[in-house]
């Protein structure tokens, strides 16, 4: 039975990375897709763990060879999801989560219309700015650019199946765990999981 594909999108600073990390701990059956990016690693990030860090010519070469399911330019850097790897994982039945922006989400939905979209919102714009500044990893210029981008990103919230407002992290994590659990209970998934039982119902 194919795995479920989850797309998680949020403006940066909404707490997406913390939430996704929490989900992976609470639910080891969900795995994270590791994207390609041309942005520089932040302190503590490792190649092959948070991202595959590549330079622009390498990114363009991979893209032009058709290696990517989707790609987008976000905050002046390129990001992309590997096509073959993701197809294989879903076909092998592994529930896989993409942490991508709204542009990537739109492209992925074309190939995987049954993907479950989750949008994570900050409680307010003021709180978002405070979180971006508190992180201390990005310059003022990067923060201003990201705040501007956040509004644009949030305009796409209606394209997602579920919306989680990350006011309190524990509550938001419970919400995300609940979404994953609910997705596994959708009829097509249950049908494939218990074919004998459902087929029995169709007999006279
Ligand atoms: P960051 O640089 O903070 O890790 O990520 C910046 C933005 O790029 C986030 O909105 C994140 O969701 C998005 N992003 C990360 N990986 C991908 C990807 O593979 N494809 C797309 N379209 N966006 C991505």
């Amino acid at each position: 039975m194919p795995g479920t594909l989850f797309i998680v999108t949020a403006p940066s600073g909404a707490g997406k990375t913390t939430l996704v990390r929490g989900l992976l701990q609470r639910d080891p059956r969900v795995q994270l897709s590791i994207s390609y990016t041309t942005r520089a690693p932040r302190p503590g990030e490792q190649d092959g763990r948070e991202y595959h860090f590549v330079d622009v010519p390498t990114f363009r070469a991979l893209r032009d060879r058709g290696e990517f399911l989707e790609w987008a330019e976000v905050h002046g850097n390129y990001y992309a999801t590997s096509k073959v790897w993701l197809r294989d994982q879903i076909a092998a039945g592994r529930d896989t989560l993409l942490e991508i922006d709204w542009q990537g989400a739109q492209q992925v939905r074309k190939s995987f219309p049954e993907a479950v979209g989750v949008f994570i919102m900050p409680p307010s714009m003021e709180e978002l700015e405070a979180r971006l500044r508190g992180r201390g990893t990005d310059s003022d210029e990067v923060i201003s650019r990201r705040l501007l981008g956040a509004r644009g990103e949030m305009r796409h919230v209606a394209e997602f199946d579920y919306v989680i407002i990350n006011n309190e992290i524990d509550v938001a994590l419970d919400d995300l765990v609940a979404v994953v659990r609910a997705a596994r209970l959708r009829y097509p998934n249950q049908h494939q999981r218990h074919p004998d039982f459902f087929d029995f119902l169709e007999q006279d």
Side-chain angles (χ1 to χ4, degrees):
M1 159 174 151
T4 301
L5 180 60
F6 296 95
I7 305 173
V8 178
T9 299
S12 56
K16 177 183 58 171
T17 307
T18 310
L19 279 173
V20 167
R21 220 173 268 157
L23 172 69
L24 300 182
Q25 269 170 12
R26 290 259 296 263
D27 191 335
R29 278 191 291 160
V30 179
Q31 66 168 350
L32 193 58
S33 164
I34 300 165
S35 299
Y36 287 81
T37 186
T38 58
R39 98 155 150 69
R42 295 198 184 107
E45 287 184 334
Q46 264 176 38
D47 186 38
R49 192 180 63 189
E50 279 78 14
Y51 285 104
H52 301 292
F53 294 99
V54 293
D55 58 18
V56 173
T58 306
F59 187 98
R60 290 204 173 117
L62 289 166
R63 183 192 61 191
D64 297 346
R65 282 213 313 261
E67 301 274 338
F68 296 149
L69 176 67
E70 60 80 27
W71 70 275
E73 190 178 341
V74 188
H75 315 309
N77 297 300
Y78 288 138
Y79 295 85
T81 304
S82 165
K83 184 169 18 185
V84 172
W85 183 85
L86 185 65
R87 289 242 157 92
D88 288 352
Q89 296 301 310
I90 296 299
R94 301 207 182 90
D95 292 347
T96 305
L97 189 148
L98 306 180
E99 268 190 75
I100 60 177
D101 84 317
W102 66 270
Q103 305 168 82
Q106 283 189 347
Q107 294 174 63
V108 171
R109 268 185 221 109
K110 287 183 195 148
S111 311
F112 294 90
E114 66 292 345
V116 178
V118 184
F119 197 95
I120 297 170
M121 296 278 279
S124 66
M125 288 308 282
E126 292 74 23
E127 178 62 24
L128 184 68
E129 179 164 0
R131 287 181 190 176
L132 284 175
R133 292 200 182 283
R135 192 151 80 175
T137 51
D138 297 311
S139 66
D140 273 4
E141 190 209 325
V142 169
I143 289 171
S144 313
R145 215 179 329 139
R146 289 189 174 213
L147 272 175
L148 210 70
R151 191 174 288 275
E153 180 106 45
M154 289 193 276
R155 289 217 174 94
H156 292 270
V157 59
E159 295 161 22
F160 291 75
D161 302 301
Y162 297 96
V163 181
I164 295 175
I165 298 175
N166 185 10
N167 194 8
E168 278 180 61
I169 185 78
D170 292 346
V171 178
L173 179 55
D174 282 347
D175 288 345
L176 186 57
V177 169
V179 165
V180 170
R181 195 165 165 172
R184 292 200 181 110
L185 300 177
R186 288 193 305 187
Y187 172 71
N189 287 345
Q190 291 288 55
H191 190 183
Q192 284 187 309
R193 213 172 275 130
H194 308 284
D196 294 345
F197 184 58
F198 287 95
D199 290 345
F200 154 82
L201 292 174
E202 277 158 26
Q203 289 164 15
D204 289 329

